[in-house]
Amino acid sequence: NYISKNYSNLPVVCADGSFNKIQQSKNLYSKLVKVIGDFDSTTCLDDERFEIDHDQNTTDFQKSLNYLIKKDCEKVFVFGASEGEMDHFIGNVSTALSYDEKISVEFVDKYSCYFFIPKNFRVNNVKEKMFSVMPFGVAENIHYNGLKYPLNGQNMMLGGMLGTRNYAVEDTVEISYAKGNILLFISHNNYKDRVNT
């Protein structure tokens, strides 16, 4: 179930810039296992959990993912992926796509969770949740089952047709596509009551 997750017991790994916020929360700080980066965003370096990597050819997010892959982690939930800077956000989404075959990356914000989906995707327990099906570049021959506004073989592309603000009318939603990449957004809360049905 992609909607009703409990993230509270997961260990925390953060990039160095996030440490400034993590240390202000006793709850998050108690779960912190590693801080990774080139430490250009924090001056606090007296903690054994810090791992410094001065490689300027990788971002701190990439460094964090590389660390988790070495620890045989299969999936990571990412919070604060943009911090209000949209170039940073798009860069992080692009990184997630480039790591898609190595580790599953799911972004979470206060509105929704979002992640790249395989060519055939199915999710349960989502009735009345908002779905935005976003091509990351292009996506071809797309089919929906279980959404209010279906697709049957259409293509999408940035700058063209998009699949934003749809919603689930069934408990199970299936999405398939033949080529390209899809970044799927699923809302945490019900969306149906906000629109005229």
Side-chain angles (χ1 to χ4, degrees), residues 34-149:
K34 188 65 70 174
V35 184
I36 301 171
D38 55 14
F39 291 87
D40 60 351
S41 303
T42 185
T43 56
C44 224
L45 299 173
D46 58 352
D47 193 303
E48 64 183 13
R49 294 172 291 187
F50 288 3
E51 184 170 307
I52 302 173
D53 183 340
H54 294 293
D55 180 8
Q56 293 302 304
N57 293 316
T58 58
T59 65
D60 290 343
F61 184 39
Q62 289 172 301
K63 293 175 174 66
S64 299
L65 292 178
N66 290 336
Y67 168 80
L68 292 167
I69 290 167
K70 288 177 185 175
K71 295 294 182 181
D72 296 322
C73 179
E74 295 179 357
K75 182 163 188 172
V76 59
F77 298 96
V78 179
F79 298 83
S82 71
E83 288 302 303
E85 298 179 67
M86 296 316 295
D87 60 333
H88 189 63
F89 168 70
I90 293 171
N92 284 337
V93 172
S94 180
T95 294
L97 178 59
S98 71
Y99 277 73
D100 195 44
E101 294 185 4
K102 300 175 185 176
I103 189 169
S104 175
V105 177
E106 182 171 324
F107 297 97
V108 182
D109 62 27
K110 66 180 182 178
Y111 304 107
S112 58
C113 56
Y114 38 104
F115 44 90
F116 287 99
I117 61 172
K119 297 295 189 287
N120 293 286
F121 176 77
R122 176 186 174 112
V123 61
N124 299 315
N125 304 318
V126 291
K127 189 172 183 179
E128 299 185 1
K129 304 299 180 185
M130 182 275 293
F131 277 66
S132 283
V133 181
M134 297 291 295
F136 204 72
V138 299
E140 298 179 0
N141 193 24
I142 307 165
H143 295 264
Y144 301 162
N145 288 314
L147 296 181
K148 172 68 174 178
Y149 306 104

Side-chain angles (χ1 to χ4, degrees), residues 142-197:
I142 307 165
H143 295 264
Y144 301 162
N145 288 314
L147 296 181
K148 172 68 174 178
Y149 306 104
L151 283 186
N152 291 294
Q154 289 90 338
N155 300 335
M156 291 184 187
M157 68 171 59
L158 293 178
M161 180 180 168
L162 301 177
T164 58
R165 301 298 182 182
N166 209 332
Y167 65 92
V169 292
E170 303 290 341
D171 209 38
T172 297
V173 168
E174 296 177 325
I175 300 170
S176 66
Y177 61 107
K179 187 177 180 182
N181 295 290
I182 287 178
L183 182 66
L184 179 66
F185 293 72
I186 306 176
S187 67
H188 300 306
N189 299 316
N190 288 356
Y191 183 72
K192 179 175 179 272
D193 295 336
R194 297 175 51 193
V195 297
N196 182 5
T197 59

